[in-house]
Amino acid sequence: MNAIAWVIVGCEIAFWVVIALGLSFRYILRMPAVGMLLLALTPLIDLILLAVTGWDLYNGGIATTAHGVAAVYIGVSIAFGRQMVAWADERVRYYIARQGEKPVKLYGLAHSRSYLKSWTLHLLAYGIGCGILLLLTHLVQDSSRTQALGGIIRIWSVVLGIDLVIAVTYFIWPRKAPGGDQDKRLS
């Protein structure tokens, strides 16, 4: 595994460690201000990854799939970051801190709408990630060194299309609740 791949792995681990620390300070140590500060640091991890990836390519590195995955990671982190933190926060609050309502599972039209909203975040992640890939390609200005980045865009385009098909199918065949009523939010 090359250095960029290790940086991506490190950033992903750092992302979840910072979230775990933030939630721990917030609920277990009862220091919500420190917890919020830690949670607010997650975008810094994306900036570090972007800087390392850009620096490597700027200094003559040949773009690999790892460079492309870095852009995907940044796009997903920016688009879904708030939602991922909220998801983790809701579960820690209920299951560990024993506060708040039990997280609900959506069915029927509510689930379909939620998945479509998630797809729009996927589209945002795609736009951010592809923007970074195109920017890196433009900055390097050597197509022989950036071919892998175009491959990532093509693969991600297919994945985005498949995700849209899945979103549409949930409106045609909604997820059924275990008890029958389709539009209830059930846990």
Side-chain angles (χ1 to χ4, degrees):
M1 207 158 59
N2 67 26
I4 294 300
W6 283 112
V7 172
I8 294 168
V9 169
C11 286
E12 180 69 15
I13 292 169
F15 176 82
W16 288 106
V17 166
V18 168
I19 288 176
L21 285 172
L23 294 174
S24 295
F25 272 92
R26 192 170 180 175
Y27 292 110
I28 297 170
L29 300 175
R30 305 221 187 274
M31 299 171 72
V34 175
M36 264 326 248
L37 176 66
L38 286 166
L39 293 173
L41 289 177
T42 55
L44 181 61
I45 297 165
D46 295 331
L47 289 175
I48 292 168
L49 181 59
L50 181 59
V52 169
T53 303
W55 182 257
D56 183 53
L57 291 175
Y58 182 75
N59 286 319
I62 295 175
T64 64
T65 301
H67 290 87
V69 171
V72 172
Y73 170 82
I74 292 167
V76 169
S77 179
I78 291 170
F80 286 95
R82 177 180 235 153
Q83 185 179 7
M84 288 188 287
V85 170
W87 178 89
D89 184 66
E90 181 180 42
R91 276 139 189 87
V92 169
R93 186 178 336 115
Y94 180 77
Y95 292 111
I96 295 174
R98 303 290 185 204
Q99 301 171 2
E101 306 252 337
K102 184 176 182 179
V104 295
K105 190 165 187 170
L106 301 178
Y107 297 95
L109 189 57
H111 174 263
S112 303
R113 287 180 182 149
S114 176
Y115 197 94
L116 185 60
K117 180 182 175 189
S118 180
W119 181 84
T120 61
L121 291 176
H122 186 179
L123 181 62
L124 175 62
Y126 175 83
I128 293 167
C130 287
I132 292 169
L133 291 170
L134 293 172
L135 177 65
L136 291 173
T137 301
H138 176 73
L139 291 175
V140 172
Q141 291 190 349
D142 182 354
S143 62
S144 67
R145 289 180 36 220
T146 58
Q147 285 179 340
L149 304 182
I152 294 293
I153 292 173
R154 285 188 293 280
I155 291 169
W156 199 358
S157 297
V158 170
V159 170
L160 183 68
I162 291 169
D163 197 24
L164 177 60
V165 169
I166 292 169
V168 169
T169 63
Y170 279 128
F171 284 95
I172 299 169
W173 301 287
R175 177 189 275 180
K176 296 185 186 217
D181 191 356
Q182 288 303 302
D183 289 320
K184 280 193 175 176
R185 295 172 57 127
L186 303 174
S187 49

